[in-house]
Amino acid sequence: MIQAMLLSALVVTICTAIHYFVLKGVSDTIARRPADAHGQNLGLAVGAITIAHVIEAFVYTLFFLWAVQGLQIGVLNASGPGDKPITLMDYFYFSLVNFTTLGRGDLSPAGHLRFLTGIEAFHGFLMITASGSFLLQVMGGRAPLSERG
């Protein structure tokens, strides 16, 4: 369990840093643009945030793989028929479903991997909420994390 907790703390730190630096970069770019570039600013923010979330989910994917194949603290099981091996795309899909808190249930974790799964859902919800708040501020014509905000 300690390994799962340490793994979770590490992945949360990495993904939070990624998220902050993406939002900060977008905010600084918006601050340098003309005041009437609302549509471009919103497009930039939505695009960058979407890419950041996908990257963060992929980072979680790598940690799931490490937890299962390297540390052997759990397993990811498929709910359907057949004995197909779980692929990298399955792990990535599982991570995206968790990060967005969708929780489809066609893949399920076992062992201490469940802890990391719960942390990803909580952290994903937190990052998506922060992104929404950021986007609302961009729509209001502000550069939220910039000194010229």
Side-chain angles (χ1 to χ4, degrees), residues 73-123:
I73 60 172
V75 66
L76 187 61
N77 298 310
S79 304
D83 293 328
K84 289 188 342 182
I86 305 292
T87 66
L88 176 63
M89 185 51 88
D90 293 324
Y91 277 95
F92 189 40
Y93 162 78
F94 176 71
S95 182
L96 284 169
V97 166
N98 279 321
F99 193 85
T100 60
T101 69
L102 181 61
R104 301 251 334 177
D106 51 341
L107 295 169
S108 58
H112 294 305
L113 192 64
R114 293 178 303 156
F115 182 82
L116 184 58
T117 300
I119 293 297
E120 182 185 25
F122 171 73
H123 190 238

Side-chain angles (χ1 to χ4, degrees), residues 21-143:
F21 287 116
V22 168
L23 294 183
K24 178 71 170 134
V26 168
S27 189
D28 290 345
T29 300
I30 290 171
R32 291 190 297 271
R33 288 188 166 178
D36 61 348
H38 292 298
Q40 293 174 351
N41 292 343
L42 183 58
L44 170 66
V46 168
I49 287 169
T50 300
I51 291 168
H53 285 296
V54 170
I55 290 169
E56 291 159 18
F58 189 72
V59 170
Y60 270 96
T61 299
L62 298 176
F63 274 76
F64 283 130
L65 282 168
W66 182 21
V68 170
Q69 296 177 3
L71 300 174
Q72 299 177 350
I73 60 172
V75 66
L76 187 61
N77 298 310
S79 304
D83 293 328
K84 289 188 342 182
I86 305 292
T87 66
L88 176 63
M89 185 51 88
D90 293 324
Y91 277 95
F92 189 40
Y93 162 78
F94 176 71
S95 182
L96 284 169
V97 166
N98 279 321
F99 193 85
T100 60
T101 69
L102 181 61
R104 301 251 334 177
D106 51 341
L107 295 169
S108 58
H112 294 305
L113 192 64
R114 293 178 303 156
F115 182 82
L116 184 58
T117 300
I119 293 297
E120 182 185 25
F122 171 73
H123 190 238
F125 177 75
L126 190 62
M127 294 296 94
I128 291 168
T129 303
S131 297
S133 175
F134 184 87
L135 286 175
L136 286 173
Q137 291 181 60
V138 169
M139 285 188 229
R142 291 187 291 287

